[in-house]
Amino acid sequence: MIMANNKSAKTSAKFNSEMFADVPVLQRKWQAAVRPGEKLPHYEDVMLGSLGRLADHIVLLRNVDGVLSVSHAGRYVQTWLNDERWDIPLSALPPDCATALTEAAANARENCRPYLASAHCVRDGLVRTFDVLALPTRSRWGGILVGVYVNERNAQYNLLDTIFSATDEGVLSLAAIRDARGEAADFQIVHLNQGAAKLLMQPATELLWRRLSAGGNPLAAPAVMNRLREFVGSGPVGQFEIDSGDRCLRLGVTAFGDMLSLTVSDVTALKQRELSFRLLFENNPMPMWVFDAGTMEFLSVNDAAVQHYGYSRERFLGMTLRQIWPEDEWAMHSAALREVGDVYQSSRDWRHIKADGTEIHVLTFGRRVAFEGRDGYLVAVVDITERRAAEARIAHMAHHDGLTNLPNRDFYQERLREALERSHSGNRRVAVMCIDLDLFKNVNDSFGHPMGDRLLKLVAERLRDVVRDDNVAARLGGDEFAVVLAADVSPNEASAFAERLIDALSAPYKIDGLEVVVGASVGIALSPGDGTTSEELMRNADMALYRAKSEGGGVHHFFEPEMDQQAQKRRDMERDLRAAFSNGEFELHYQPLVDIAADRISGFESLLRWQHPQKGMVSPAEFIPVAEDIGLIVALGEWVLREACAEAMKWPADVKVAVNLSPVQFRSRNLVQAVISALAHSGLSARRLELEITESVFLAETEANLALLHQLRELGVSISMDDFGTGYSSLSYLRSFPFDKIKIDRSFVKDLARRSDCLAIVRAISGLGRSLKITTTAEGVETTDQLDWLRAEGCNEVQGFLFSAARPGHEIAALLRGFAERASKAA
């Protein structure tokens, strides 16, 4: 190194100080020359006149047919360019100078303002940095002339010695090229050694002065250039790795302002050793393998894969992936592999074939690797067969009945909607059938719910035997089933199918050596006449089923439009009933019970009446069943008990009051408490209260209801059986409970004088009552002939229109007086 003497050093410092001040001087001169309303100053106002020594540092550029050319150059610029020629294109100049001039001129022309750039030029191993100030001006002959001021900065860097001494690997230098915003937009290779050229796999002559954005080498990748920009902006030293084909290169970066010094090392062998280490997967419990990306041959498998799939290692390594794929998934597997990148994760589950031929569901995860010099994928396999089976079971459970495994209501409605959609396009009819088992409740009550459940399973099996093809049989709940006939069916075909269904379900069932017999009732609705939606068809089929049940069961019935009217009438009845209870529209009437022997009123039967504000008096036969169905009868029955007991307190002490109980009240389990409350509230003696039940009380939960009856008897109230002789097992019930009274149904009394069988029944019931010391009461007595016959047969009590219709409570006192006066006159 040659040391400058003190005088020359001062001279150099003064010179550089003057040169450093040239840039702002020229910028001010350019700004002052801009005339109002114009973007650019005239060339003459900036470049001619008092430039003095600066003229040697100016090169004038003009655009000729889109090509920048040197129009004039000062002596200093000619030395910098190492070219004294004028009127030559920039492409004819040294690349480092041409690049700097092009960048500065382009930005100045684009922004219509002076632009200051830096030029990094390598001369004899030294990196010299020049300021390049471009001043755009307007030519009098049109177009834009750019005057460019060039001057060297003070600092020079001898980087080559440093770079070559730092590493034996590839070495290259990059100069940052900044954009209009002053940000590093690109890099130019300003120096490199043969090692760098070899690693970048291009001749050094092609790489030198080449911009990275031109591509063709690993450094041109966008991700690499972004990392390099980060070093220009923030970090002087660092390193990172890049993948280049089957190689891995490590870059060491040192930043000196806008200059980057790169060392390049090939670490492929190291990475392969690391990869080989990662491939030591034999003890991994997860099945894993490596396969060739091109041939799909297995290159390696771990022990877990051998054990899980059942193939020997030798056989595995002689197979391809396709041999573990089901044939119907070959195309999908192949398509998925073509789209695989460096990393793969299943977007769906796949089926694989094990050595024993069974299929499993798997998820696969893969990464591209180099394995023994071959391009392949490392794959990990997760067996989700059990998970998918559990999900399938859950899905099945969500759509099927847990007891019978028939489709449930949701699945049934879904299939019905699908059938209706298909029928719309083909103008076909769909039949919906609602099925209810007859007498199923008796089986539950007699043999218990486990027996009932087994019966339902057998019913489901018979349904599956009868309902075939695209048709669907489902269990809606309890003993309710439904069927969809999806094919185009006529009414006759639907009727014939319903008959076969009833016959199949009504045949005896053998359960634990017992023969169990139930029946079936079917309601049918046909689209589109009976509805076009699943909701309409199911509702109408249900109404048809209600009609079939009301006709005694064991039959099928088609929906009829008037059923909808009846259903609406029923809904109106339910609404009015609830309102009636709240509004106090109910009242009690009382019909006298006459002791035949004493010829006096022994009691009154309380009868519920409903005075509807618009419809007038509504028959109990209409509203009592509805009140039972909607659960209102419990509250209504408690009200009747309280009212009847309170009213009876106004009568003579030897006159009883009879209150009818509904079977529904027994299910509420609050009956005994309700009776106790009514007696306590009214103060009525329990012996004056008579509770009337029908034998239907014994058709369900017989033991529990018998226990309730005994509790009521213990209170001191009387229990009577109403409508005796009309049921199936009236005599057996007399053995089950010691009734105080039995009431002979009015159907036997009506034809007493005309039919001998009625007389025989009345005689038998009266004789039975005398033998069991049970009072007998005959209902519906309307004539003196009937009364005489009943007296002759030994009946104890009578009631009917012959004596009085049911009267409101306020008329009872007068009725008692009138009856007493008549009896005294007769005496």
Side-chain angles (χ1 to χ4, degrees), residues 38-60:
E38 298 180 353
K39 289 185 177 181
L40 297 175
H42 289 272
Y43 165 76
E44 293 81 3
D45 295 340
V46 178
M47 295 299 170
L48 298 181
S50 58
L51 285 178
R53 62 176 176 77
L54 298 182
D56 286 341
H57 292 264
I58 299 294
V59 56
L60 185 64

Side-chain angles (χ1 to χ4, degrees), residues 289-301 309 311-326 330 333-334 337 351-354 374:
W289 57 63
V290 180
F291 72 89
D292 187 288
T295 65
M296 293 191 295
E297 296 173 336
F298 286 101
L299 303 180
S300 180
V301 293
Y309 281 79
Y311 302 105
S312 66
R313 190 179 303 275
E314 293 73 19
R315 185 178 175 190
F316 237 135
L317 296 179
M319 296 168 58
T320 65
L321 279 177
R322 178 167 289 192
Q323 290 175 268
I324 66 168
W325 297 342
W330 280 3
H333 276 285
S334 299
L337 278 181
R351 287 153 48 220
H352 283 180
I353 302 174
K354 298 173 70 172
R374 300 172 70 174

Side-chain angles (χ1 to χ4, degrees), residues 513-579:
L514 296 175
E515 185 176 273
V516 180
V517 178
V518 293
S521 301
V522 179
I524 307 172
L526 289 172
S527 72
D530 298 336
T532 56
T533 67
S534 60
E535 291 79 10
E536 289 175 340
L537 288 169
M538 289 189 68
R539 183 182 66 245
N540 292 341
D542 194 56
M543 284 191 279
L545 172 63
Y546 184 80
R547 172 68 63 85
K549 296 286 286 186
S550 67
E551 292 180 358
V555 296
H556 67 274
H557 210 293
F558 283 90
F559 170 76
E560 297 172 0
E562 59 268 20
M563 292 180 184
D564 196 27
Q565 299 173 2
Q566 292 172 359
Q568 183 60 49
K569 184 178 178 182
R570 163 71 180 236
R571 289 191 290 271
D572 293 342
M573 173 75 77
E574 293 177 4
R575 183 192 65 242
D576 291 350
L577 266 175
R578 291 187 175 93

Side-chain angles (χ1 to χ4, degrees), residues 93-108:
L93 300 175
D96 50 356
C97 300
T99 298
L101 292 174
T102 301
E103 174 193 350
N107 280 287

Side-chain angles (χ1 to χ4, degrees), residues 135-378:
L135 302 169
T137 62
R138 185 159 54 89
S139 170
R140 70 173 64 180
W141 297 286
I144 297 176
L145 295 175
V146 181
V148 183
Y149 166 83
V150 179
N151 194 30
E152 184 178 4
R153 294 181 189 171
N154 186 34
Q156 294 182 354
Y157 300 97
N158 190 337
L159 296 180
L160 295 180
D161 292 341
T162 304
I163 292 173
F164 279 104
S165 63
T167 178
D168 295 332
E169 303 291 342
V171 178
L172 69 161
S173 300
L174 302 179
I177 299 174
R178 296 184 179 271
D179 59 15
R181 298 188 301 274
E183 297 176 355
D186 202 352
F187 295 91
Q188 187 176 36
I189 300 175
V190 298
H191 184 269
L192 78 162
N193 66 359
Q194 288 300 320
K198 181 179 179 181
L199 290 173
L200 296 181
M201 302 178 71
Q202 281 187 293
T205 54
E206 292 184 13
L207 289 171
L208 187 62
W209 309 117
R210 187 182 185 91
R211 291 193 181 196
L212 295 189
S213 61
N217 64 79
L219 301 182
V224 177
M225 292 186 64
N226 287 337
R227 293 294 303 273
L228 294 176
R229 290 189 189 98
E230 292 174 5
F231 284 97
V232 171
S234 58
V237 178
Q239 71 175 22
F240 60 98
E241 295 174 354
I242 61 175
D243 289 324
S244 174
D246 60 350
R247 300 176 307 148
C248 181
L249 303 180
R250 179 175 294 162
L251 302 184
V253 184
T254 303
F256 298 90
D258 282 359
M259 291 295 299
L260 297 181
S261 172
L262 269 64
T263 60
V264 185
S265 304
D266 188 345
V267 293
T268 305
L270 174 62
K271 289 299 178 181
Q272 287 178 339
R273 288 193 296 272
E274 293 174 354
L275 180 60
S276 297
F277 176 78
R278 290 197 298 272
L279 288 177
L280 296 176
F281 57 2
E282 287 302 331
N283 294 325
N284 196 312
M286 182 181 296
M288 301 176 73
W289 57 63
V290 180
F291 72 89
D292 187 288
T295 65
M296 293 191 295
E297 296 173 336
F298 286 101
L299 303 180
S300 180
V301 293
N302 69 354
D303 291 339
V306 171
Q307 181 178 1
H308 196 76
Y309 281 79
Y311 302 105
S312 66
R313 190 179 303 275
E314 293 73 19
R315 185 178 175 190
F316 237 135
L317 296 179
M319 296 168 58
T320 65
L321 279 177
R322 178 167 289 192
Q323 290 175 268
I324 66 168
W325 297 342
E327 287 190 22
D328 59 329
E329 285 191 356
W330 280 3
M332 290 185 290
H333 276 285
S334 299
L337 278 181
R338 286 193 296 270
E339 299 173 1
V340 169
D342 290 339
V343 179
Y344 169 74
Q345 178 175 338
S346 293
S347 58
R348 50 159 291 175
D349 60 301
W350 300 97
R351 287 153 48 220
H352 283 180
I353 302 174
K354 298 173 70 172
D356 61 4
T358 60
E359 290 187 358
I360 58 175
H361 290 261
V362 301
L363 295 175
T364 55
F365 305 85
R367 176 180 292 275
R368 185 183 289 271
V369 295
F371 184 81
E372 297 180 354
R374 300 172 70 174
D375 183 22
Y377 280 94
L378 170 65

Side-chain angles (χ1 to χ4, degrees), residues 35 79 103 204 403 433 475 625 636 709 743:
R35 299 178 184 179
T79 302
E103 174 193 350
L403 177 65
M433 297 185 178
R475 183 187 179 208
L636 195 54
L709 289 175
K743 300 185 73 174

Side-chain angles (χ1 to χ4, degrees), residues 462-474:
R462 295 188 183 182
L463 279 173
R464 276 189 282 265
D465 289 340
V466 176
V467 181
R468 303 280 185 95
D469 302 325
D470 292 334
N471 304 321
V472 180

